Amino acid sequence: MKDLLEKATRAHTLTRTEIVSLLACSESQLLFQAADFVRKNYVGDGVYLRGLIEFSNYCKNDCFYCGLRRSNTQAQRYRLTPQQIIATAQQAAQYGYKTVVLQSGEDPQFDTDKMCHIIREIKKYDLALTLSIGEKTREEYAAYKQAGADRYLLRIETTDKALYEKLDPAMSWDNRVRCLNDLKELGYEVGSGSLVGLPGQTLESLADDLLFFKKLPVDMAGIGPFIPHPHTPLANEKTAGHFELSLKMMSLMRLLLPDINIPATTAMETLHPQGRLLALQCGANVVMPNVTQGEFRKKYELYPGKICTGESPEQCRGCIQAKIESIGRFVAPGKGFHGDFLKNK
Ligand code: SAH
């Protein structure tokens, strides 16, 4: 294991078999330390905050794992108006955020004109703007880019095509890859990522996820443990082991893609009270606090047990800064584009 980690720390490459053996290894501390070392050298001690606006939980898709799936009739659906979304972004800028992330289910009500209007208005606040609104046509992605969007998050969820399509029989894995390629070609900073612990997922397929991110290559990648939602077909699945495995995936991602942005995902903190801080010590350098207001925070329920649904955006901003500082890190000042730290070093 030591030799493998030494190689990965130096050359940032590992074969599929080597990745699998590190994912399977029970002594993860050395892996975590190597990731933390690489993180410090390539992206520093600064942690970028991205303000997350969850603007609609309507979704036309039916992914088996997701609480927003259209067949979940118990979900209380909401959508913010464009004015509300723009006002929330303005508030986020006032709290000191330099990036906002607009996320939603795939909600056809937000057509291209509406999205472009929202993007143009938000860009007036000198914010970097990330979209996370699912699969669109190349023309739609081009229009958002033209309107000012900087980044796009679209997790591949799993590179196991058969598993992906089993978890939503109406969706096409090839189309998701097409989306990621279009986004890259259009000049977005591209974020992807995967769910860890899906039923039927193997360590080999997780290794393939990492190699897929390296090949694209992504500018950002989020690893989230899968947490079963009670009103979905996967309600009875377990979460045992998903947290540790997610930390290993994050660490390996840092070793393989040393300078990318890696978020400490919210789902990590649902499974462990110190989940995001531990993730920040296993390769992560980004946190995405929720800036959505009031009741909507709870209604955007991808999975149960989501943290901070009773807090206000101001509380979240203060709380996360204190946590980051408690581990000797600091809130990084800039917009945090891929590679900024090395450029300014
Ligand atoms: N509609 C957008 C945004 C999806 S929600 C899109 O398709 O990209 C953001 C992420 O939540 C998803 O990419 C998925 O990885 C994650 N998610 C969904 N259900 C989850 C669950 N049960 N546990 C953990 N994460 C989940």
Side-chain angles (χ1 to χ4, degrees):
M1 181 174 182
K2 275 209 168 123
D3 290 348
L4 278 188
L5 288 178
E6 206 267 314
K7 168 184 153 183
T9 303
R10 188 173 25 85
H12 309 297
T13 57
L14 287 168
T15 65
R16 185 178 194 246
T17 319
E18 289 168 345
I19 296 173
V20 171
S21 70
L22 287 168
L23 286 172
C25 180
S26 56
E27 281 171 72
S28 10
Q29 282 312 319
L30 287 176
L31 169 61
F32 298 161
Q33 281 164 20
D36 201 43
F37 175 81
V38 171
R39 187 268 311 152
K40 198 174 168 70
N41 283 332
Y42 281 82
V43 294
D45 284 332
V47 175
Y48 291 108
L49 298 185
R50 323 289 202 197
L52 178 64
I53 305 175
E54 301 162 331
F55 68 90
S56 164
N57 69 354
Y58 281 89
C59 191
K60 66 181 170 71
N61 294 332
D62 219 17
C63 307
F64 284 15
Y65 46 80
C66 184
L68 307 192
R69 71 196 302 265
R70 67 161 190 273
S71 299
N72 179 8
T73 52
Q74 297 184 64
Q76 294 176 37
R77 305 288 170 174
Y78 73 89
R79 57 169 71 87
L80 304 188
T81 63
Q83 290 75 3
Q84 284 173 314
I85 300 170
I86 297 159
T88 308
Q90 185 184 14
Q91 270 166 3
Q94 283 159 3
Y95 301 140
Y97 289 101
K98 304 287 182 235
T99 294
V100 289
V101 181
L102 301 186
Q103 193 180 78
S104 68
E106 287 198 19
D107 181 355
Q109 278 252 334
F110 286 90
D111 60 21
T112 313
D113 285 349
K114 210 184 253 185
M115 280 316 302
C116 288
H117 165 70
I118 295 167
I119 294 164
R120 277 192 295 268
E121 290 302 311
I122 291 180
K123 284 302 286 183
K124 293 181 183 164
Y125 301 117
D126 188 30
L127 289 162
L129 179 61
T130 306
L131 296 174
S132 176
I133 58 176
E135 296 181 20
K136 306 285 171 184
T137 63
R138 187 183 174 100
E139 291 67 36
E140 287 171 295
Y141 289 146
Y144 308 148
K145 187 83 187 48
Q146 183 77 32
D150 302 285
R151 310 187 182 122
Y152 206 101
L153 302 184
L154 186 78
R155 287 186 177 172
I156 191 70
E157 314 294 359
T158 172
T159 46
D160 179 339
K161 178 175 171 169
L163 177 61
Y164 180 89
E165 293 181 355
K166 194 173 149 194
L167 294 175
D168 187 342
M171 286 179 84
S172 148
W173 186 84
D174 289 333
N175 190 52
R176 209 155 179 92
V177 176
R178 188 274 303 160
C179 289
L180 288 167
N181 287 328
D182 279 349
L183 290 163
K184 271 240 80 122
E185 283 169 22
L186 289 165
Y188 282 89
E189 278 212 337
V190 175
S192 193
S194 28
L195 281 168
V196 172
L198 290 167
Q201 193 177 38
T202 60
L203 293 186
E204 284 74 14
S205 99
L206 287 172
D208 288 338
D209 292 358
L210 293 171
L211 295 171
F212 175 85
F213 301 139
K214 189 161 170 74
K215 180 154 174 262
L216 205 64
V218 294
D219 301 289
M220 182 274 208
I223 296 296
F226 160 61
I227 304 171
H229 189 291
H231 305 140
T232 64
L234 303 183
N236 297 322
E237 297 296 329
K238 301 282 172 283
T239 56
H242 297 180
F243 182 78
E244 174 96 2
L245 194 53
S246 298
L247 286 180
K248 287 183 182 175
M249 281 289 284
M250 245 175 255
S251 299
L252 284 161
M253 185 119 72
R254 176 59 71 204
L255 294 179
L256 292 171
L257 288 149
D259 67 348
I260 67 166
N261 285 317
I262 302 180
T265 56
T266 311
M268 291 297 279
E269 200 131 320
T270 295
L271 292 187
H272 189 296
Q274 300 296 330
R276 287 180 298 178
L277 290 188
L278 289 167
L280 287 174
Q281 292 168 309
C282 292
N285 70 317
V286 170
V287 179
M288 296 164 61
N290 198 335
V291 295
T292 320
Q293 295 280 356
E295 79 211 85
F296 306 122
R297 293 163 85 90
K298 183 147 187 56
K299 290 184 178 161
Y300 195 84
E301 194 185 59
L302 304 163
Y303 51 83
K306 200 178 144 197
I307 57 162
C308 310
T309 52
E311 324 281 283
S312 69
E314 297 93 314
Q315 285 170 321
C316 276
R317 177 64 182 76
C319 164
I320 198 66
Q321 178 156 349
K323 283 189 174 194
I324 288 167
E325 289 170 1
S326 78
I327 55 166
R329 306 272 283 276
F330 62 92
V331 173
K335 291 198 172 87
F337 285 95
H338 178 193
D340 277 359
F341 177 79
L342 290 182
K343 254 179 255 154
N344 300 328
K345 208 171 165 178

